[in-house]
Amino acid sequence: MAETEITAFLTHLARVGRVAASTQNQALSALLFLYKEVLKQNLGYLQGVERAKRPSRLPVVLTRDEVHKIFAHMHGTYRLMAGLLYGSGLRLMECVRLRVKDVDFGYARITVRDGKGGKDRVTMLPVNLAKPLERHLQKVKAQHEEDLEAGFGSVFLPGALARKNPAAAKEWAWQHVFPSSRLSADPRAPAGVKQRHHVNESVLQEAVKNAVRASGFPKPATCHTLRHSFATHLLENGYDIRTVQELLGHKDVSTTMVYTHVLNKPGIGVKSPLD
């Protein structure tokens, strides 16, 4: 069996099995691996494969009242993290990977490093989250100082920074804003080195899920729903779609443009829907 049979099988998955596009792609990848790595055969071009269609789904959006109900059932660090998802438009992993150096209280903004597509961007820091976030960072800094005294205190560094400047791993600026509650051995670090990673994203997902359930409304809201609601509520407040795209990181715009036209002009700066 070769190209003809694989084409027929993949088409059968889409036409008869009615599988999702991701399932068909997974089957194709598995077959390509089988032929290349196991059977040591080179497959030709697969012609005539009927592709499973990826459905267009409308995002779930919460009203302001529903957002407030969710926050009413969240407390502590999880409420603060959910506030950044909604008030700054952060993605889930952008929030948990946030570093201390990327929070600018002076200009009330957050710099997202290596976001989706490997791009950096700037978004707002909600004014009413500034004080709670500062208090949170005071606790995190105290924990970091205790780690240093105990001979730990390092964190994983991105790219080649660990090789170029290994001392940066213990600097306060590079620590995670939302660190894990315990030290762990990072497989990317030298053997036996324990570091404090960021908090696991699943704990925030679970906290939001429980808050949505406790709120009582039937919408299937998740962490990403807060990001959709952020964009929708900014548009409802009268901000143009180009500005919202810049804050979400949906367009390839320079950081200078964001600084100049979105965040730094007095009286024109974007106000978070959380404020």
Side-chain angles (χ1 to χ4, degrees):
M1 294 189 293
E3 293 87 351
T4 302
E5 289 76 15
I6 291 177
T7 298
F9 172 67
L10 294 174
T11 299
H12 173 82
L13 287 179
R15 187 179 298 169
V16 181
R18 304 180 68 83
V19 300
S22 58
T23 301
Q24 188 187 43
N25 290 336
Q26 185 181 48
L28 173 59
S29 297
L31 286 167
L32 292 176
F33 178 85
L34 170 67
Y35 275 80
K36 181 180 179 181
E37 303 296 338
V38 181
L39 303 178
K40 306 299 181 182
Q41 297 180 21
N42 291 323
L43 288 174
Y45 182 71
L46 300 177
Q47 293 182 333
V49 176
E50 182 176 321
R51 307 295 294 185
K53 295 181 179 179
R54 190 179 299 275
S56 298
R57 306 263 185 215
L58 291 176
V60 177
V61 177
L62 302 173
T63 65
R64 287 175 172 79
D65 183 58
E66 289 169 339
V67 171
H68 292 152
K69 286 181 179 179
I70 289 178
F71 286 155
H73 291 91
M74 300 188 74
H75 307 282
T77 302
Y78 300 143
R79 178 186 172 92
L80 184 58
M81 296 175 74
L84 290 177
L85 298 184
Y86 173 64
S88 303
L90 299 182
R91 296 180 176 91
L92 174 62
M93 294 308 300
E94 292 172 348
C95 178
V96 299
R97 290 173 177 165
L98 195 62
R99 308 259 183 172
V100 173
K101 67 182 182 62
D102 295 324
V103 180
D104 188 338
F105 291 101
Y107 280 107
R109 64 192 178 197
I110 292 174
T111 303
V112 178
R113 307 287 183 184
D114 195 24
K116 190 173 182 179
K119 300 174 183 177
D120 294 355
R121 75 176 190 279
V122 178
T123 186
M124 79 276 283
L125 170 64
V127 173
N128 64 3
L129 285 187
K131 290 298 182 182
L133 188 56
E134 283 184 312
R135 290 194 295 268
H136 169 79
L137 287 177
Q138 289 174 359
K139 298 177 183 177
V140 174
K141 188 172 185 180
Q143 182 186 59
H144 175 58
E145 291 173 349
E146 291 178 1
D147 287 345
L148 290 174
E149 292 176 358
F152 302 106
S154 64
V155 69
F156 175 77
L157 297 176
L161 186 60
R163 185 177 70 254
K164 296 178 179 178
N165 186 15
K170 292 189 176 182
E171 292 179 2
W172 166 238
W174 281 98
Q175 303 304 306
H176 291 293
V177 174
F178 301 107
S180 173
S181 60
R182 59 174 180 256
L183 299 170
S184 60
D186 194 320
R188 298 166 295 185
V193 175
K194 286 189 175 182
Q195 299 180 323
R196 193 173 293 279
H197 200 47
H198 60 68
V199 67
N200 192 295
E201 66 274 12
S202 63
V203 297
L204 178 56
Q205 291 174 315
E206 186 66 22
V208 171
K209 180 180 178 181
N210 291 337
V212 171
R213 186 183 297 116
S215 299
F217 55 81
K219 291 182 180 179
T222 64
C223 290
H224 206 66
T225 304
L226 295 174
R227 177 174 155 90
H228 290 315
S229 303
F230 161 83
T232 302
H233 295 166
L234 282 183
L235 293 173
E236 290 175 352
N237 287 345
Y239 295 107
D240 63 277
I241 193 169
R242 177 61 171 165
T243 297
V244 177
Q245 286 175 326
E246 291 172 357
L247 295 172
L248 291 172
H250 282 176
K251 289 291 183 180
D252 186 13
V253 295
S254 68
T255 304
T256 303
M257 181 183 297
V258 178
Y259 281 170
T260 304
H261 297 292
V262 179
L263 298 174
N264 285 349
K265 284 189 176 181
I268 306 181
V270 177
K271 184 179 179 182
S272 167
L274 192 59
D275 293 333

